[in-house]
């Protein structure tokens, strides 16, 4: 069973649309949660941490549901520059590394 | 903004040769990592390093791999005898703390083994 599972997409949405990505994790001892974005052939870059109470950063909203072991990312008013692969990332208690999902590819269309 | 730097950006080597990938983490960070990403696949953890020793490593990080922090700034990954399947993008990362602290990645070294 994979540590972190994501719908690989691709998601093709028009500019201005709202799009949501989901992610599930297998280990209930998972401790910290992040969304990273990765542009083609580039390094992953932190988009936002995900807190238990949910958090928002501009057009981006992240939610965590520990009971269902589920993380989500909502992007409102999509921009062309949002086109990238979005990586769900999880750490586990006592483990000093990140587990990456395979990523969800988003293309925002003019 | 401080950043993690990696050299070279692209390394081509023949099967069986040794390669050393170099990284300069962010200066006040204490935790260092190597990850790899085979083309089209997910980012995979190789090893983490803290206080001059390996703190964790994955199944991928076998005896052919080693890491070193030879001085106060560099963090290297050595592959002793490269195989075709070692071809991948190798990312170095650093963080200020463990567990809850997000990682800052370098821009990667693309390793091609022929």
């Amino acid at each position: 069973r994979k540590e972190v599972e994501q719908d690989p997409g691709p998601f093709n949405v028009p500019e201005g649309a709202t799009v949501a990505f989901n992610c599930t994790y297998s280990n209930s001892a998972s401790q910290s949660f992040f969304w990273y974005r990765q542009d083609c052939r580039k390094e992953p870059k932190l988009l936002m941490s995900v807190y238990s109470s949910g958090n928002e950063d501009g057009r981006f909203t992240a939610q965590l549901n520990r009971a269902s072991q589920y993380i989500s990312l909502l992007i409102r008013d999509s921009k062309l520059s949002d086109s990238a692969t979005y990586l769900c990332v999880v750490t586990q208690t006592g483990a000093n590394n990140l587990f990456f999902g395979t990523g969800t590819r988003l293309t925002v269309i003019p | 903004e401080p950043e993690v730097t990696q050299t070279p950006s692209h390394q081509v080597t023949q099967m069986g040769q040794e390669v050393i990938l170099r990284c300069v983490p962010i200066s006040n960070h204490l935790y260092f990592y190597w990850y790899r990403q085979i083309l089209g696949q997910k980012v995979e953890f190789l090893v983490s390093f803290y206080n001059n020793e390996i703190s964790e490593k994955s199944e991928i990080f076998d005896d052919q791999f080693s890491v070193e922090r030879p001085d106060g700034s560099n963090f290297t990954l050595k592959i002793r005898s490269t195989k075709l399947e070692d071809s991948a993008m190798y990312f170095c990362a650093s963080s200020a703390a463990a567990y809850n602290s997000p990682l800052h990645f370098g821009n990667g070294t693309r390793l091609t083994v022929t």
Side-chain angles (χ1 to χ4, degrees):
Chain A
R1 187 178 176 185
K2 294 180 183 177
E3 293 283 350
V4 181
E5 295 207 48
Q6 294 182 251
D7 180 347
F11 284 65
N12 300 316
V13 302
E15 266 186 295
T18 296
V19 62
F21 306 136
N22 301 320
C23 167
T24 57
Y25 59 94
S26 61
N27 192 328
S28 60
S30 296
Q31 182 176 19
S32 301
F33 310 90
F34 307 95
W35 284 100
Y36 279 71
R37 83 171 259 168
Q38 186 175 27
D39 294 291
C40 188
R41 294 177 181 264
K42 300 286 189 181
E43 75 275 20
K45 291 186 178 179
L46 178 67
L47 179 66
M48 59 196 303
S49 302
V50 186
Y51 303 120
S52 295
S53 55
N55 49 297
E56 187 174 307
D57 183 3
R59 298 181 293 108
F60 299 85
T61 301
Q63 296 279 350
L64 168 63
N65 183 323
R66 284 190 184 271
S68 302
Q69 296 180 200
Y70 170 97
I71 306 157
S72 66
L73 176 69
L74 183 77
I75 305 175
R76 290 181 299 278
D77 189 22
S78 300
K79 311 289 185 194
L80 295 176
S81 57
D82 293 335
S83 297
T85 297
Y86 289 83
L87 306 172
C88 176
V89 183
V90 170
T91 68
Q92 294 173 3
T93 303
N96 192 25
N97 65 73
L98 304 181
F99 290 94
F100 282 79
T102 52
T104 298
R105 184 160 182 172
L106 171 67
T107 301
V108 180
I109 304 164
Chain B
E1 183 180 334
E3 58 182 25
V4 176
T5 57
Q6 290 185 241
T7 55
S9 57
H10 191 189
Q11 174 89 46
V12 181
T13 189
Q14 288 188 328
M15 195 168 53
Q17 295 297 305
E18 174 183 286
V19 294
I20 297 176
L21 310 183
R22 303 181 190 280
C23 170
V24 179
I26 294 173
S27 61
N28 63 344
H29 283 185
L30 301 175
Y31 297 82
F32 314 114
Y33 310 81
W34 283 101
Y35 284 79
R36 80 170 187 190
Q37 188 174 32
I38 295 171
L39 187 64
Q41 298 186 25
K42 68 176 182 179
V43 178
E44 298 176 292
F45 170 72
L46 293 178
V47 65
S48 59
F49 192 87
Y50 170 70
N51 200 26
N52 285 320
E53 61 182 22
I54 291 173
S55 50
E56 288 177 57
K57 60 182 181 180
S58 72
E59 293 174 352
I60 302 168
F61 194 87
D62 61 21
D63 291 344
Q64 293 300 312
F65 291 85
S66 62
V67 289
E68 195 176 33
R69 188 156 161 82
D71 52 44
S73 59
N74 289 285
F75 179 51
T76 62
L77 174 69
K78 182 193 290 186
I79 309 174
R80 288 192 186 81
S81 178
T82 51
K83 302 186 282 288
L84 294 176
E85 55 264 36
D86 293 329
S87 295
M89 183 73 95
Y90 287 80
F91 293 110
C92 174
S94 68
S95 65
Y99 313 132
N100 293 333
S101 183
L103 270 57
H104 298 261
F105 285 84
N107 51 12
T109 293
R110 180 168 300 281
L111 176 65
T112 302
V113 182
T114 61

